[in-house]
Amino acid sequence: MSNTNLTNSKQAKNDEFYTMYEDIENELQHYPGAFEGKIVYCNCDNPEWSNFWKYFHINFDHLGLKKLISTHYDREKPTYKMEYTGGDDNNVEAGVITPLEGNGDFRNQECIDLLKEADIVVTNLPFSIAREDFIPQLFEYKKKFLIIGDLNWVTYKIIFPLLKNNEMWMGYSAVKEFLQPDGTIKKFGNKLWFTNLDIKKRHEKLILWKNYTPAEFPQYDNYDTINVEKVSNIPCDYCESWEVTEEEFKNFPSDEWEITRTGERDGKKSFFIIPAANTKLRKLLHEHTAGYKEEIENKLLKYLKKKRYCNGIFGVPITFLNYFSPEQFRIVGNEYSLALDKGRGYVHGKRMYSRIFIQKIL
Ligand SMILES: C[S@@+](CC[C@H](N)C(=O)[O-])C[C@H]1O[C@@H](n2cnc3c(N)ncnc32)[C@H](O)[C@@H]1O
């Protein structure tokens, strides 16, 4: 990429961070077969210098692509689309250029038409309009994507539910450096890949080895959950409350059982219950005495027709999402979605930052 091209770039400065070729290569190695027979659209990429264009052009045959399309944005004047369907992979200037009527804004109808034609969008997008426009548009048109984003997105109202509901997830690598229009390097500590393409790590379970002790995993002050400082410390044996439906709870003696929070089961209200304070079972639960779970569940079975599961919630750092397999865990919410005290979780009065709440799938 020549400096002149970069310096000539007229777009808003805070969106002008260009992705390095090696970072694209590093991430793309984890998607074997995903691009075969596909149309890839890089919709924030000037083929004169975009390393996304370059990567997919050079690897066109190797990836088995059907077509590569790029469009790019200019604030002041119309731009063009460039399309490549193979035959001269190493010559990145090979491709058909067609002028666009507009300025290449990914929201323009002509760009949306290209989006409709495409299978997978791969790019590093303007961070400033990512959440309002770019990501909702990908979902509106039901597109596969692999994009560079920001760790902070995880807390956004638009994005968190997508992560929670397994509609998008984190890719593999962090992207630490970008090139700026003046040729200098800009370092970031929070940029990474997001995708909805299936990847191996989504099916790899964390090995849990740590045993639960109340001292090491304190309760939140304002939510029925335990705090886990490090993802690698998620305890393998923690279970704290038992879920019963509202109907079933009517059979339980209210002096023996206590509701800790409400939930939803098969569209109906449910309660998470534990043995009541001052009971022998509560003492067993509190102290996590050997066999406590079996003893409590034996008692529970007196009031239930079939065995219920117990399922503790863990508050973990958001970096957990890097290791998240939906086959092992489900995401319950974050501080905002759970409407904790002004979006804040506290442990012993101390604010816990950037947490999400998860449950093991039993
Ligand atoms: C973070 S840069 C990344 C550029 C390139 N994709 C790369 O990875 O090197 C985001 C680019 O999106 C462009 N852009 C800004 N607003 C846009 C819009 N509405 N539509 C399309 N591109 C836009 C910016 O000019 C900028 O070049």
Side-chain angles (χ1 to χ4, degrees), residues 212-227 238 240 274 286 288 313 346-349 352:
Y212 169 77
T213 63
E216 207 172 342
F217 300 98
Q219 288 279 337
Y220 274 70
D221 305 343
N222 53 348
Y223 190 52
D224 174 22
T225 191
I226 57 165
N227 185 50
Y238 174 75
E240 206 53 309
I274 57 172
H286 181 68
H288 264 244
I313 296 183
Y346 294 91
V347 172
H348 299 323
M352 295 287 118

Coordinates of all heavy atoms in Angstrom, one line a residue, residues 212-227 238 240 274 286 288 313 346-349 352:
Y212 N -15.0 -26.2 44.2 CA -15.6 -25.1 44.8 C -15.4 -25.0 46.3 O -15.5 -26.0 47.0 CB -17.1 -25.1 44.6 CG -17.9 -24.2 45.4 CD1 -18.0 -22.8 45.0 CD2 -18.6 -24.5 46.5 CE1 -18.7 -21.9 45.7 CE2 -19.3 -23.6 47.3 CZ -19.3 -22.3 46.9 OH -20.0 -21.4 47.6
T213 N -15.0 -23.8 46.8 CA -15.1 -23.5 48.2 C -15.7 -22.2 48.4 O -15.4 -21.3 47.6 CB -13.7 -23.5 48.9 OG1 -12.9 -22.4 48.3 CG2 -12.9 -24.8 48.7
P214 N -16.6 -22.0 49.4 CA -17.2 -20.7 49.5 C -16.2 -19.5 49.7 O -16.4 -18.4 49.3 CB -18.1 -20.8 50.8 CG -18.2 -22.3 51.0 CD -17.0 -23.0 50.4
A215 N -15.0 -19.9 50.3 CA -14.1 -18.8 50.6 C -13.5 -18.3 49.3 O -13.3 -17.1 49.1 CB -13.0 -19.3 51.5
E216 N -13.2 -19.2 48.4 CA -12.5 -18.8 47.1 C -13.5 -18.2 46.1 O -13.1 -17.4 45.2 CB -11.8 -20.0 46.5 CG -10.6 -19.6 45.7 CD -9.8 -20.8 45.3 OE1 -10.0 -21.9 45.9 OE2 -9.1 -20.7 44.3
F217 N -14.8 -18.6 46.2 CA -15.7 -18.1 45.2 C -16.9 -17.4 45.9 O -18.0 -18.0 46.1 CB -16.3 -19.3 44.4 CG -15.2 -20.0 43.7 CD1 -14.6 -21.1 44.2 CD2 -14.7 -19.5 42.4 CE1 -13.6 -21.8 43.5 CE2 -13.7 -20.2 41.8 CZ -13.1 -21.3 42.3
P218 N -16.7 -16.1 46.3 CA -17.7 -15.4 47.1 C -19.0 -15.2 46.3 O -18.9 -15.0 45.1 CB -17.0 -14.1 47.5 CG -15.9 -13.9 46.5 CD -15.5 -15.3 46.1
Q219 N -20.1 -15.0 47.1 CA -21.3 -14.7 46.4 C -21.4 -13.2 46.1 O -20.8 -12.4 46.7 CB -22.5 -14.9 47.5 CG -22.8 -16.3 47.8 CD -23.7 -16.9 46.8 OE1 -24.4 -16.2 46.1 NE2 -23.6 -18.2 46.6
Y220 N -22.1 -12.9 45.0 CA -22.4 -11.5 44.7 C -23.3 -10.9 45.8 O -24.2 -11.7 46.3 CB -23.0 -11.3 43.3 CG -22.0 -11.3 42.2 CD1 -21.3 -12.4 41.9 CD2 -21.8 -10.1 41.5 CE1 -20.3 -12.3 40.9 CE2 -20.9 -10.0 40.5 CZ -20.1 -11.1 40.2 OH -19.2 -11.0 39.2
D221 N -23.2 -9.7 46.1 CA -24.1 -9.0 47.1 C -25.5 -8.9 46.5 O -26.5 -9.0 47.2 CB -23.6 -7.6 47.5 CG -22.2 -7.6 48.0 OD1 -21.7 -8.7 48.3 OD2 -21.5 -6.6 48.0
N222 N -25.6 -8.6 45.2 CA -26.9 -8.3 44.6 C -27.4 -9.3 43.6 O -28.2 -8.9 42.7 CB -26.8 -6.9 44.1 CG -25.7 -6.6 43.1 OD1 -24.8 -7.4 43.0 ND2 -25.7 -5.5 42.4
Y223 N -26.8 -10.5 43.5 CA -27.3 -11.4 42.6 C -26.9 -12.8 43.1 O -25.8 -13.0 43.6 CB -26.7 -11.2 41.2 CG -27.3 -12.0 40.1 CD1 -28.7 -12.0 39.9 CD2 -26.5 -12.8 39.2 CE1 -29.2 -12.8 38.9 CE2 -27.1 -13.5 38.2 CZ -28.4 -13.5 38.0 OH -29.0 -14.3 37.0
D224 N -27.8 -13.8 42.8 CA -27.6 -15.1 43.3 C -26.6 -15.9 42.5 O -26.9 -16.6 41.6 CB -28.9 -15.8 43.4 CG -28.8 -17.3 43.8 OD1 -27.8 -17.6 44.4 OD2 -29.7 -18.1 43.4
T225 N -25.3 -15.6 42.7 CA -24.3 -16.2 41.8 C -22.9 -16.1 42.5 O -22.8 -15.3 43.5 CB -24.3 -15.4 40.5 OG1 -23.5 -16.1 39.6 CG2 -23.7 -14.0 40.6
I226 N -22.0 -16.9 42.1 CA -20.6 -16.8 42.7 C -19.7 -16.1 41.7 O -19.9 -16.2 40.5 CB -20.1 -18.1 43.1 CG1 -20.0 -19.1 41.9 CG2 -20.8 -18.7 44.3 CD1 -19.1 -20.3 42.2
N227 N -18.7 -15.4 42.3 CA -17.7 -14.7 41.5 C -16.5 -15.6 41.2 O -16.0 -16.2 42.1 CB -17.3 -13.5 42.2 CG -16.3 -12.6 41.3 OD1 -16.7 -12.4 40.2 ND2 -15.2 -12.3 41.8
Y238 N -19.6 -26.9 41.4 CA -20.5 -26.0 42.1 C -21.9 -26.1 41.6 O -22.2 -26.0 40.4 CB -20.0 -24.5 41.9 CG -20.9 -23.5 42.4 CD1 -21.0 -23.3 43.8 CD2 -21.8 -22.8 41.5 CE1 -21.9 -22.3 44.3 CE2 -22.6 -21.8 42.0 CZ -22.7 -21.6 43.4 OH -23.6 -20.7 43.9
E240 N -25.8 -24.6 43.1 CA -26.2 -23.9 44.3 C -27.7 -23.8 44.5 O -28.2 -23.6 45.6 CB -25.6 -22.5 44.2 CG -25.5 -21.8 45.5 CD -24.7 -22.5 46.6 OE1 -25.1 -23.7 46.8 OE2 -23.8 -22.0 47.2
I274 N -33.6 -23.2 47.5 CA -32.6 -23.8 48.3 C -33.2 -24.2 49.7 O -34.2 -23.6 50.0 CB -31.3 -22.9 48.5 CG1 -31.7 -21.6 49.1 CG2 -30.5 -22.7 47.2 CD1 -30.5 -20.7 49.5
H286 N -24.3 -24.8 52.7 CA -23.4 -23.7 52.9 C -22.0 -24.1 53.1 O -21.1 -23.6 52.6 CB -23.9 -22.9 54.2 CG -23.0 -21.7 54.5 ND1 -23.0 -20.6 53.7 CD2 -22.1 -21.5 55.5 CE1 -22.2 -19.8 54.2 NE2 -21.6 -20.3 55.2
H288 N -20.9 -27.0 52.0 CA -20.5 -27.9 50.9 C -19.9 -29.2 51.5 O -18.9 -29.7 51.0 CB -19.5 -27.2 49.9 CG -20.3 -26.7 48.7 ND1 -20.1 -27.1 47.5 CD2 -21.2 -25.7 48.7 CE1 -20.9 -26.4 46.7 NE2 -21.6 -25.6 47.4
I313 N -24.9 -20.3 39.1 CA -24.5 -19.3 38.1 C -23.1 -18.8 38.5 O -22.9 -18.6 39.7 CB -25.5 -18.2 38.0 CG1 -26.8 -18.7 37.5 CG2 -25.0 -17.0 37.1 CD1 -27.9 -17.7 37.3
Y346 N -21.7 -6.4 42.5 CA -20.8 -6.2 43.7 C -20.5 -7.5 44.4 O -21.4 -8.3 44.6 CB -21.4 -5.2 44.7 CG -21.6 -3.8 44.1 CD1 -22.8 -3.5 43.4 CD2 -20.6 -2.9 44.2 CE1 -23.0 -2.2 42.9 CE2 -20.8 -1.6 43.7 CZ -22.0 -1.3 43.0 OH -22.2 0.0 42.5
V347 N -19.3 -7.6 44.9 CA -18.9 -8.7 45.8 C -18.3 -8.0 47.0 O -17.3 -7.3 46.9 CB -17.9 -9.6 45.1 CG1 -17.4 -10.7 46.1 CG2 -18.6 -10.3 43.9
H348 N -18.8 -8.3 48.2 CA -18.4 -7.7 49.4 C -18.2 -6.2 49.2 O -17.2 -5.6 49.6 CB -17.0 -8.2 49.9 CG -17.0 -9.7 50.2 ND1 -18.1 -10.4 50.8 CD2 -16.1 -10.7 49.9 CE1 -17.8 -11.6 50.9 NE2 -16.6 -11.9 50.4
G349 N -19.2 -5.6 48.6 CA -19.3 -4.1 48.4 C -18.3 -3.6 47.3 O -18.3 -2.4 47.0
M352 N -17.6 -5.2 40.6 CA -16.9 -6.2 39.7 C -17.1 -5.6 38.3 O -18.2 -5.3 37.8 CB -17.6 -7.5 39.7 CG -17.5 -8.2 41.0 SD -15.8 -8.9 41.3 CE -15.3 -7.9 42.7

